Amino acid sequence: MKKLAKNINYWAKSTALILGLSAAVSCDGFLEEDVISNIGDDYLNTPKGMNDGINSAYSSMRAWYGTERGNNLTIFGTDIFTNGADGSYKYMNTYTNQFDSRVNHLQELWDEFYRGINTCNAVIDRSVNLTGISQELIDQRVAEAKFIRAHHYFILVQLFGGVDLQLSETILPTKEVTRSSVADIYAAIIKDLEEAIPNLEAEAKSDDYGRATRPAAEHLLGRVYITKATSEAAEASDYANAEPLLQSVIDNYGLVLLPDFADVHAFGNEINDEVIWSVQYTRDPLTNGGGNNSHVFFLMEYDVQPGMQRDTENGRPFKRYKSTDYTLNTIFADRVNDSRYKNTYVDHFLSNNPGTFNTTFDKSKATVTYAQGDTTIWLPGYNMSEAERAKYPYQVLTPELYTERLFPPMKKHKDPGRVDRTQFEGGRDYIAMRLADTYLLLAESQFRQGKIGDATENINAVRRRAAFPGKEAEMEISEADLTFEFITEERARELIGEQTRWLDLKRWGILVERVRAHNPSEAKTNIQDYHTLRPIPQNQIDRAEGNASAFPQNPGY
């Protein structure tokens, strides 16, 4: 099984911005500004050109998954994470006026997604001229382009509301753009996915791993309907439309929940039977773009503590995201039956820097001495007296000692395969869709339709898998236990750190209230109703004919 990422040909990033200009890559690898027609007329109409074009469109997924911008836009400013000590982008958590239309994350995501969209448009439009290739393969590549285009517009409409809806190739530069309605964007997304599904590979794992498949498109369309159901474009049938799509993903493609929750994100196990679709990264710097960077953001400052130094196993700690008290004390309150706290957070460190040291945070003892491999820090997850901590020959980090630098680090994204301890460009695939999420979305769609028994069973399928061995029965809930609040918490337990939370809170209509209730930062007082949309990038407004009158900014910014 080969991976799609190894086949990405970077010439094909010659896709247009919304104003029609393109960042084309010349044969020597340097960026050149050009219009897509200069390359496309000679190449994109060929079988190889079409294949390289769609591979390039896949690479635009790397603007979102596993990146600093994708994580900051979905992890920060929620109820389950707040900012750690790292100073970068804290305003995205605290909702200060620094988070405005000039933020580079917004501009980069906008531009990269529209480049990807225009590549998809070119592949779709030019497919009718192809010869020397089977119609079946043409239909599959067009379906992949529609999957990618639908994905990008789905992210954009959730973040920004109405955006410019471009469904044909931009060949010549233009500044004539408008903000389409949310309803029109959802209609285009649904049409793309409905047309794509029959022509995508009906296998969970493509032979060319990383390509969109039928279950990936069904999962995405199911989530689209569930999200649309609480948007201004909502229709009464949305939850009912989502249900059979999500059920099909569970029933028809051989996907299964892994028996052990710990294995889902285990290093080296990125290709497994629970993964519906992932974004491909590599260890080759020539084909890895900026890499999967998620490994740095969820870690505490372990590397300056007694007995420790930074290494690839424990990671490069940016100290960006710190779990809130609500997360640790409510979401993960059950640590007897539920394995997900144990398998989500690092609870101890082993010495890689032996010697005798003065203690830092745990003053129950004056010094500590470690041999190689000794425990240096233990995070029990509960408080204990100083006298009890003094019994241990290492530092004990209890909740009362947590700070913006010292807190339970999350291990889902750790990447010990990096070439050295400072490397930012990780090489792990980013799991964008997995079966546990499908079960939870299906349960939510059924709950909203009043099918409480079916919804409870689907929640229990996820919970039984999450149980410690022998605790499966204790993890099951009854129909009376299933409430909307329970669904919000179960999604946090299962999907924490997987770029879903801000989007979930927004679609549920509870972002503002949850941030005010559970995020301990300035966000409590700063967040306002208008923060449920992100600011339109200023460079997009500036390059529109008529500027803000033609492409208005979202309210509040």
Side-chain angles (χ1 to χ4, degrees), residues 298-303 305-309 311 313-315 317 345-352 361 370 373-379 394-395 397 406-410 414:
F298 299 88
L299 306 179
M300 79 169 205
E301 192 177 68
Y302 75 90
D303 52 339
Q305 302 306 320
M308 299 300 302
Q309 59 183 338
D311 60 15
E313 178 67 29
N314 291 291
Y345 293 100
V346 176
D347 63 4
H348 70 284
F349 290 87
L350 302 179
S351 178
N352 58 12
F361 57 84
Y370 303 123
D374 283 352
T375 298
T376 59
I377 303 171
W378 177 39
L379 295 88
Y394 41 77
Q395 295 201 97
L397 181 59
L406 299 173
F407 51 80
M410 201 180 76
K414 286 173 68 174

Side-chain angles (χ1 to χ4, degrees), residues 316-391:
R316 180 182 174 185
F318 268 37
K319 309 174 291 294
R320 178 68 58 80
Y321 310 131
K322 176 181 182 288
S323 296
T324 62
D325 289 346
Y326 168 68
T327 305
L328 299 176
N329 299 332
T330 300
I331 300 299
F332 290 106
D334 181 3
R335 303 178 192 179
V336 174
N337 304 306
D338 195 331
S339 74
R340 285 175 292 193
Y341 178 85
K342 172 73 173 177
N343 290 317
T344 296
Y345 293 100
V346 176
D347 63 4
H348 70 284
F349 290 87
L350 302 179
S351 178
N352 58 12
N353 184 30
T356 297
F357 308 87
N358 294 328
T359 53
T360 50
F361 57 84
D362 179 6
K363 295 301 183 179
S364 66
K365 66 277 290 180
T367 63
V368 283
T369 300
Y370 303 123
Q372 184 76 23
D374 283 352
T375 298
T376 59
I377 303 171
W378 177 39
L379 295 88
Y382 56 86
N383 285 320
M384 59 180 69
S385 68
E386 183 172 335
E388 188 174 357
R389 282 190 275 117
K391 297 176 183 178

